[in-house]
Amino acid sequence: MPGSSGHSVAKAWPLAAGALLLALLWLGPLPIRAEGSFAAHMVMHMGVVALAAPLLAVGLARLLPASVARLTPSVAIVASFAEFAAVWAWHAPALHDAARVEPAIFVLEQASFLTVGLLVWTSAIGAADSRRPAARAAGIGALLVTSMHMTLLGGLLLFAPRPLYACAALCSPAATLTPLGDQQLGGAIMLAVGGSAYLAGGLVLLASILRDPASAAGGSE
């Protein structure tokens, strides 16, 4: 039926948009640029976790609402710690340098970013549709904790007095930037995109709870 087909397309467009964005990030010029530019590498990272992952999560929540809404609070909590571990581990100098020069390690890095980002956003969006206060609180906490640690890491990269990675000397950074300037630009991108996206997600989820009469009534009891 035409109406049903249109409704399905309306539900599925975030999933398609997220998949298209991943294709542009991974199959476009960025992977080659990222070999010699920390900032380009960060654009890919933020594109995966702060843009593609929430789009995919919204698409999954629309297509499988009952399944996503059943995610327990512990999933959001574990997901936030998993993303913290993945993001900080992959920005440790040894692992980051390896991902910049070894294709297999780069693929593993990007796959882990997508996995943990999708877990955080899906559990948080599932919490938004849940009537369980604990689930909603966990979803808000997962997004805000992720925003805080990305802000902290972005600030560290932005204000570090020297390049933190050997790849800054081994690779060829963007022609107009020094290795330190390239790293600082990457830190600014993490602050502006990563910290802001997760903070905005947490605040939107909090606002949806405050607007929900059932939640307000439950919280006042």
Side-chain angles (χ1 to χ4, degrees), residues 39-54:
H41 197 95
M42 185 62 75
V43 168
M44 261 198 308
H45 177 192
M46 292 299 100
V48 169
V49 301
L51 299 176

Side-chain angles (χ1 to χ4, degrees), residues 55-68:
L55 282 170
L56 293 172
V58 170
L60 289 174
R62 289 183 174 188
L63 293 174
L64 304 168
S67 299
V68 172

Side-chain angles (χ1 to χ4, degrees), residues 62-126:
R62 289 183 174 188
L63 293 174
L64 304 168
S67 299
V68 172
R70 280 199 297 268
L71 293 174
T72 63
S74 60
V75 173
I77 295 169
V78 170
S80 66
F81 280 104
E83 181 151 24
F84 172 84
V87 168
W88 283 79
W90 283 113
H91 285 88
L95 276 179
H96 176 79
D97 287 335
R100 292 272 289 277
V101 298
E102 296 290 341
I105 298 178
F106 170 77
V107 170
L108 180 61
E109 176 204 54
Q110 294 298 305
S112 67
F113 283 157
L114 178 60
T115 300
V116 294
L118 192 55
L119 273 174
V120 169
W121 285 105
T122 303
S123 59
I125 290 171

Side-chain angles (χ1 to χ4, degrees), residues 13-24 52 55-56:
W13 78 259
L15 202 61
L20 176 60
L21 179 55
L22 286 178
L24 292 173
L55 282 170
L56 293 172

